[in-house]
């Protein structure tokens, strides 16, 4: 479950069956199971459990049917704190392992590797228990139908819960005594899930009106907004880039209204409070997954690639809109972390960094946050230097500890740390503006900045000596796509060519390692191998809808900032393939999976924007961009059909689909096409390009606000073939000339960046 939310540890119990085991004894591996042959870091973590784990596949399914055994399905991921806890407590226990092996065929799934399997059974757990999260624990009939499930289970019976061992034995007894009842129940559950999870167009539904949907979504977000600390809940508090992306678009369409001003204030204040908070790693850079409190202070310490990619993009937009260097510095901070800690030598990006690590080299138990937190005594020892020009007796430690809210006894509320993992420790959080810190110690603000940087560098060196958290070196097409967009959009906003080059390197990695040129399909995952090689599984996992939409989005973003038309051609190819593999011609919109896997009981369509946007939300804008580049207007029709399929949700509860709401506005307002006729290397052309990339526009195809085409030079051939109207556009007076077009009808030409800026501004 999301038990890792320290807001109060809860357990999710079985529906209809009383629920729970014995603590495993840590020690050297004495067992090896089939997972040793897998590539997933999460599966390999369980390869020495006494449980006879199988990976998801036909061998396990056949065994269950042949032996008439139930299946126990455990789903998690390698940086999941409570997945580690359940392994230590239950899956490493020989006694519990014997029970599991005797009565069940046990299957372990990496949810990041197989989001399709995760989604089917998480839909069941959420529907029957009212909650969900990881580790997910589900019991299936031999034909894979779920009948009982939950998330984290403690090992032993307690006052208010039943232990995992008890659950296993009771379910085994139920199967022995009431098999027909369980089979009947599982069939009814599956039919109910199939009915309730269906998303399809209703009658003659059309795309909902943008204004009403946008206004309702804004009102719903505004009501949930935390006025003091930003964000949209009390506890836990997630970054939610999809909400902030929506608010920027809402502001751009309502700039002259109080609602527009509030939307911008909500987004910028949230981003500033996050950057000041403990959810932001002030020493090691990057952002942790979420905060367990209202103040963005104490995080769940794992770091996910998908967060870094989306946050780099949203902070880039904040800089683009506000011009505030604070936001640009946060972008640089995120991309430094990713470049240093999540980058493979071959060009891809790793998935995540763990929350747990050993506090010292001699520790026997890992603790959450151990790599990131500080004792006051430790900081005083590392920062003893007197500060020249400051109030007499002031040391570096005094300045640093005041600015980052450090307390001698630790600054973590015990109520947020029920297992005392952070007792006496400090999670760094900026508690006051730099001006006030400087004034307290009699320093100039510029001097304070220099001192804090010196402290950060010294602490970074000290932290590097600590045992490192586990790194999940699995590389996923979808998450790499989000990170490529982050680098590309940052490159555009900050005019930093190095970021564009890094995005291109990662896109080339995808084409080499996660694309099958024979089939024209994307693959889901690849892995860091021996000697820094890149490996693929024995049976490569085919790409899912999310892989296609995030990679296509990334390729459009990369093309618009690099003007390398190979990325555009590949994006359009992948869009055609996505249509072929996932489109629902009867109910409209895209399924999350192909139709070819018989082990999946349901073909689902994600209906919420969460930590990542729902694939159909991003697909709408991708289709509109693809139509602008290709002239294939059937893609515009497809975009409208997706919105029609989700029309009821968009009109009733748009807050669950803020990215699709934003796409609705793009659909109704028509994308602007910017065509620049000029030498791509010419200074006048570059000035035009900089103008386009520095203006935020709501009816945007991408981050920069417009579909961007340079219709001059040797590299324009592909676009001329796709869009014949370009042939009628030309330079004026020998200067780089821009046209702003809608639906392939263009404005009068302009030859100055200032004029172009005026045409592009919302």
């Amino acid at each position: 479950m999301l038990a890792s939310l320290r807001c109060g540890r809860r357990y999710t119990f079985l529906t209809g069956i009383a629920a729970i085991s014995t603590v495993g004894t840590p020690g050297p591996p004495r067992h090896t199971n089939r997972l040793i042959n897998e590539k997933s870091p999460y599966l390999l973590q369980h390869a020495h459990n006494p449980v006879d784990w199988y990976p998801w596949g036909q061998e396990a399914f056949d065994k269950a049917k042949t032996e008439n055994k139930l299946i126990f399905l455990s789903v998690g991921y390698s940086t999941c704190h409570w997945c580690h806890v359940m392994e230590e407590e239950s899956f490493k226990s020989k006694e519990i392992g014997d029970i599991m092996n005797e009565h069940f065929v046990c299957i372990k799934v990496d949810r990041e590797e197989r989001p399709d399997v995760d989604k089917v059974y998480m839909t069941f757990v959420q529907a029957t228990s009212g909650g969900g999260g990881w580790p997910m624990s589900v019991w299936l009939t031999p034909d894979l139908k779920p009948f009982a499930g939950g998330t984290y289970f403690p090992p032993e019976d307690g006052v208010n819960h039943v232990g995992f061992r008890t659950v296993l034995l009771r379910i085994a007894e139920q199967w022995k005594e009431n098999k027909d009842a369980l089979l009947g129940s599982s069939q009814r559950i599956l039919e109910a899930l199939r009915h309730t999870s269906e998303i399809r167009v209703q009658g003659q539904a059309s795309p909902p009106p943008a204004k009403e949907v946008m206004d309702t979504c804004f009102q719903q977000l505004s009501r949930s907004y935390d006025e003091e600390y930003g964000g949209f809940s009390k506890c836990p508090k997630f970054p939610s880039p999809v909400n902030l992306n929506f608010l920027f678009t809402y502001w751009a369409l309502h700039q002259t209204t109080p609602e527009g001003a509030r939307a911008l204030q909500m987004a910028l204040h949230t981003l500033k409070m996050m950057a000041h908070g403990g959810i932001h790693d002030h020493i090691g850079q990057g952002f942790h997954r979420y905060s367990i409190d209202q103040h963005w202070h104490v995080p769940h310490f794992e770091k996910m690639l998908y967060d870094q990619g989306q946050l780099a993009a949203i902070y880039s937009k904040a800089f683009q809109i506000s011009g505030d260097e604070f936001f640009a510095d946060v972008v640089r901070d995120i991309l430094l972390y990713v470049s240093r800690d999540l980058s493979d030598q071959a060009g891809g990006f790793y998935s995540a960094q763990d929350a747990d690590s050993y506090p010292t080299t001699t520790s026997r138990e890992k603790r959450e946050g151990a790599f990131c937190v500080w004792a006051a005594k430790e900081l005083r020892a590392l920062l003893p230097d007197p500060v020249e020009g400051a109030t007499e007796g002031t040391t570096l430690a005094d300045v640093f500890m005041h600015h980052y809210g450090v307390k001698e006894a630790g600054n973590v509320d015990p109520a947020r740390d029920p297992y005392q993992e952070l007792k006496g420790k400090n999670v760094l959080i900026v508690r006051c503006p730099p001006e006030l810190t400087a004034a307290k110690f009699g320093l100039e603000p510029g001097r304070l900045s220099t001192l804090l940087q010196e402290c950060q560098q010294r602490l970074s060196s000290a932290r590097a000596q600590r045992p490192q958290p586990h790194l999940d070196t699995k590389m996923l097409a979808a998450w790499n796509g989000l990170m490529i967009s982050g680098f590309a959009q940052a490159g555009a906003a900050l005019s930093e060519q190095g970021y564009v080059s890094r995005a291109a390197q990662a896109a080339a990695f995808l084409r080499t390692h996660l694309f099958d040129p024979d089939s024209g399909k994307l693959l889901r995952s690849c892995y860091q191998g021996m000697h820094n090689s890149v490996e693929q599984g024995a049976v490569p996992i085919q790409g899912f809808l999310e892989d296609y939409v995030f990679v296509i989005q990334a390729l459009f973003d990369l093309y618009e900032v690099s003007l390398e038309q190979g990325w555009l051609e590949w994006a359009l190819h992948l869009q055609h393939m996505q249509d072929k593999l996932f489109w629902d011609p009867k109910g409209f919109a895209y399924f999350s999976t192909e139709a070819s896997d018989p082990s999946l009981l349901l073909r689902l369509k994600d209906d919420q924007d969460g930590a990542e946007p729902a694939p159909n939300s991003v697909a709408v804008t991708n289709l509109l961009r693809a139509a602008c580049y290709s002239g294939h207007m059937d893609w515009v029709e497809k975009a409208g059909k997706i919105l029609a399929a989700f029309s009821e949700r968009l009109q009733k509860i748009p807050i669950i689909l803020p990215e699709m709401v934003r796409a609705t506005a793009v659909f109704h307002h028509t994308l602007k096409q910017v065509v620049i006729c000029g030498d791509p290397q010419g200074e006048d052309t570059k000035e035009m390009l900089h103008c386009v990339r520095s203006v935020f526009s709501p009816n945007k195809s991408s981050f920069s606000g417009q579909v961007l085409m340079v219709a001059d030079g040797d590299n324009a051939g592909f676009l001329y073939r796709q869009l014949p109207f370009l042939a009628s556009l030309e330079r004026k007076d020998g200067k780089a000339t821009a046209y702003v077009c809608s639906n392939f009808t263009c404005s009068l030409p302009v030859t100055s960046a200032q004029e172009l800026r005026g045409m592009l501004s919302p």
Side-chain angles (χ1 to χ4, degrees):
M1 57 171 292
L2 294 179
S4 48
L5 315 184
R6 281 202 212 93
C7 297
R9 182 170 173 181
R10 301 174 291 118
Y11 307 120
T12 299
F13 298 109
L14 293 167
T15 303
I17 298 180
I20 302 176
S21 177
T22 336
V23 179
T25 303
R30 290 174 293 172
H31 310 274
T32 300
N33 56 52
R34 289 167 183 77
L35 300 186
I36 197 67
N37 299 315
E38 297 300 306
K39 300 295 184 184
S40 158
Y42 176 63
L43 299 188
L44 290 171
Q45 286 174 352
H46 294 265
H48 296 292
N49 295 167
V51 180
D52 187 15
W53 291 115
Y54 285 75
W56 182 265
Q58 199 60 48
E59 183 183 9
F61 308 154
D62 290 345
K63 179 179 175 67
K65 289 181 178 178
T66 300
E67 299 181 12
N68 195 26
K69 278 187 175 180
L70 293 173
I71 291 171
F72 171 67
L73 173 65
S74 176
V75 182
Y77 55 102
S78 78
T79 59
C80 165
H81 173 71
W82 288 99
C83 298
H84 301 331
V85 173
M86 193 163 178
E87 181 193 16
E88 288 293 330
E89 293 176 340
S90 295
F91 301 147
K92 286 186 177 181
S93 164
K94 178 69 163 58
E95 179 186 357
I96 291 180
D98 287 345
I99 295 171
M100 295 172 70
N101 297 336
E102 179 181 355
H103 297 289
F104 305 96
V105 174
C106 301
I107 298 179
K108 179 62 80 169
V109 168
D110 181 340
R111 70 170 294 262
E112 297 168 354
E113 203 178 50
R114 292 299 303 262
D116 53 339
V117 176
D118 176 64
K119 180 66 176 176
V120 167
Y121 294 105
M122 185 60 74
T123 299
F124 161 73
V125 170
Q126 290 173 329
T128 55
S129 72
W134 301 274
M136 177 171 62
S137 306
V138 191
W139 284 264
L140 320 177
T141 63
D143 56 358
L144 307 179
K145 295 173 184 174
F147 63 88
T151 52
Y152 164 82
F153 291 98
E156 295 288 1
D157 295 355
V159 175
N160 297 313
H161 62 259
V162 187
F164 185 56
R165 176 161 52 92
T166 301
V167 172
L168 293 169
L169 292 172
R170 288 183 181 177
I171 289 179
E173 183 67 19
Q174 289 275 351
W175 181 244
K176 181 179 178 181
E177 301 294 334
N178 300 297
K179 184 181 302 182
D180 290 343
L182 284 182
L183 290 172
S185 172
S186 69
Q187 183 60 39
R188 288 191 298 274
I189 288 170
L190 181 62
E191 290 170 358
L193 287 176
R194 191 170 279 133
H195 174 73
T196 58
S197 63
E198 186 177 46
I199 296 173
R200 59 183 300 112
V201 69
Q202 302 296 324
Q204 300 298 313
S206 57
K211 184 181 186 308
E212 288 82 349
V213 171
M214 291 279 286
D215 287 346
T216 303
C217 188
F218 171 71
Q219 291 159 9
Q220 291 176 348
L221 279 176
S222 186
R223 285 195 293 269
S224 69
Y225 177 66
D226 183 337
E227 299 286 350
E228 186 173 2
Y229 297 103
F232 302 94
S233 63
K234 299 300 181 186
C235 166
K237 193 167 273 187
F238 287 80
S240 302
V242 289
N243 290 342
L244 304 173
N245 207 23
F246 164 79
L247 289 172
F248 282 149
T249 296
Y250 191 87
W251 160 77
L253 292 171
H254 302 82
Q255 287 190 51
T256 60
T257 69
E259 292 80 9
R262 175 167 170 77
L264 183 60
Q265 184 272 333
M266 287 163 62
L268 295 181
H269 181 60
T270 296
L271 288 169
K272 283 202 169 184
M273 295 305 290
M274 284 168 47
H276 289 319
I279 191 174
H280 181 201
D281 187 343
H282 296 280
I283 303 302
Q285 297 83 43
F287 280 79
H288 301 294
R289 186 162 167 244
Y290 59 83
S291 167
I292 64 172
D293 55 46
Q294 181 181 358
H295 317 105
W296 302 108
H297 180 204
V298 182
H300 178 43
F301 287 89
E302 69 190 48
K303 293 180 181 176
M304 311 302 295
L305 181 66
Y306 59 74
D307 283 326
Q308 315 309 318
Q310 292 178 91
L311 288 172
I314 204 71
Y315 276 101
S316 294
K317 291 179 183 177
F319 171 65
Q320 189 188 37
I321 290 167
S322 69
D324 188 340
E325 274 293 327
F326 174 86
F327 297 114
D329 287 341
V330 178
V331 174
R332 297 183 186 103
D333 170 288
I334 295 168
L335 299 185
L336 171 61
Y337 165 68
V338 173
S339 298
R340 184 190 65 231
D341 292 349
L342 295 184
S343 289
D344 187 81
Q345 289 185 7
F349 299 112
Y350 301 141
S351 293
Q353 190 175 39
D354 207 339
D356 299 2
S357 62
Y358 293 105
T360 69
T361 54
T362 59
S363 300
R364 298 192 63 185
E365 284 189 11
K366 291 184 177 182
R367 290 193 173 189
E368 183 170 8
F371 187 65
C372 301
V373 297
W374 302 89
K377 181 179 179 181
E378 185 180 13
L379 293 173
R380 293 199 180 281
L382 290 166
L383 305 170
D385 316 47
V387 178
E388 292 184 16
T391 307
E392 186 176 354
T394 298
T395 66
L396 279 176
D398 293 328
V399 176
F400 185 87
M401 291 167 65
H402 175 79
H403 191 67
Y404 286 104
V406 174
K407 297 181 179 179
E408 296 295 338
N411 69 0
V412 177
D413 181 354
R416 302 298 185 200
D417 185 30
Y419 306 103
Q420 300 189 349
E421 290 180 292
L422 303 177
K423 184 178 181 180
K425 302 294 185 180
N426 290 273
V427 177
L428 303 182
I429 178 171
V430 177
R431 287 298 194 187
C432 60
E435 295 79 13
L436 292 183
T437 299
K440 176 177 173 61
F441 295 102
L443 297 167
E444 293 294 325
R447 171 85 166 128
L448 173 67
S449 177
T450 301
L451 291 174
L452 291 177
Q453 287 179 18
E454 180 183 344
C455 293
Q456 289 163 350
Q457 290 169 2
R458 198 176 296 185
L459 296 181
S460 178
S461 297
R463 204 170 86 166
Q465 305 306 310
R466 297 175 177 176
Q468 298 283 319
H470 161 74
L471 191 65
D472 188 323
T473 56
K474 175 174 71 268
M475 290 169 274
L476 302 173
W479 295 4
N480 270 253
L482 290 172
M483 198 67 242
I484 290 168
S485 286
F487 270 99
Q489 295 179 23
L494 278 61
S495 299
E496 178 53 67
Q497 183 57 40
Y499 294 156
V500 180
S501 298
R502 182 65 185 91
Q505 182 191 20
F509 173 89
L510 292 185
R511 184 135 201 177
T512 300
H513 296 287
L514 289 171
F515 177 68
D516 181 352
D518 294 331
S519 66
K521 295 181 180 182
L522 287 174
L523 302 176
R524 171 64 176 177
S525 55
C526 59
Y527 311 85
Q528 183 192 54
M530 298 291 290
H531 310 297
N532 294 315
S533 63
V534 177
E535 297 181 349
Q536 188 52 262
V539 181
I541 301 170
Q542 296 298 306
F544 303 106
L545 175 63
E546 65 179 59
D547 297 301
Y548 283 82
V549 297
F550 294 149
V551 170
I552 291 168
Q553 175 180 250
L555 294 173
F556 283 144
D557 290 343
L558 180 54
Y559 166 69
E560 292 184 4
V561 71
S562 71
L563 303 179
E564 293 291 335
Q565 293 187 19
W567 304 128
L568 177 58
E569 293 184 55
W570 191 26
L572 296 178
H573 162 79
L574 292 177
Q575 186 61 64
H576 282 295
M577 184 58 68
Q578 177 184 312
D579 295 346
K580 177 181 176 182
L581 297 176
F582 304 104
W583 182 252
D584 177 1
K586 296 179 180 178
F588 298 164
Y590 294 99
F591 289 112
S592 297
T593 58
E594 291 187 52
S596 57
D597 188 344
S599 70
L600 293 178
L601 302 179
L602 301 171
R603 280 189 91 191
L604 299 170
K605 300 171 186 174
D606 286 339
D607 62 352
Q608 293 189 37
D609 295 322
E612 306 159 59
N616 273 292
S617 297
V618 177
V620 173
T621 311
N622 281 353
L623 288 165
L624 297 174
R625 296 170 83 176
C628 283
Y629 281 124
S630 66
H632 296 164
M633 300 312 290
D634 56 326
W635 274 331
V636 176
E637 183 181 352
K638 260 192 170 66
K641 288 179 176 178
I642 294 174
L643 297 175
F646 285 85
S647 180
E648 183 177 2
R649 283 169 173 79
L650 288 169
Q651 294 185 76
K652 290 183 177 179
I653 43 173
I655 194 173
I656 70 170
L657 284 165
E659 182 62 24
M660 191 175 287
V661 173
R662 200 189 65 78
T664 304
V666 176
F667 178 83
H668 284 289
H669 283 83
T670 307
L671 290 175
K672 290 178 180 176
Q673 300 160 295
V674 178
V675 183
I676 299 175
C677 299
D679 177 3
Q681 301 307 315
E683 291 303 317
D684 52 354
T685 304
K686 290 180 180 179
E687 187 178 359
M688 293 275 193
L689 294 175
H690 177 72
C691 171
V692 171
R693 293 164 182 162
S694 64
V695 175
F696 182 84
S697 178
N699 51 334
K700 66 184 181 25
S701 67
S702 69
F703 161 83
S704 63
Q706 293 78 30
V707 175
L708 179 63
M709 297 174 279
V710 176
D712 195 12
D714 294 339
N715 69 339
F718 173 75
L719 287 171
Y720 275 112
R721 292 193 299 274
Q722 296 291 312
L723 303 169
F725 84 97
L726 293 177
S728 65
L729 307 181
E730 58 186 7
R731 286 203 238 185
K732 298 297 181 182
D733 303 322
K735 300 178 181 179
T737 303
Y739 300 81
V740 179
C741 313
S742 293
N743 293 327
F744 313 111
T745 300
C746 297
S747 67
L748 293 174
V750 297
T751 56
S752 79
Q754 186 174 357
E755 287 181 278
L756 178 59
R757 182 180 296 275
M759 298 173 69
L760 297 179
S761 297

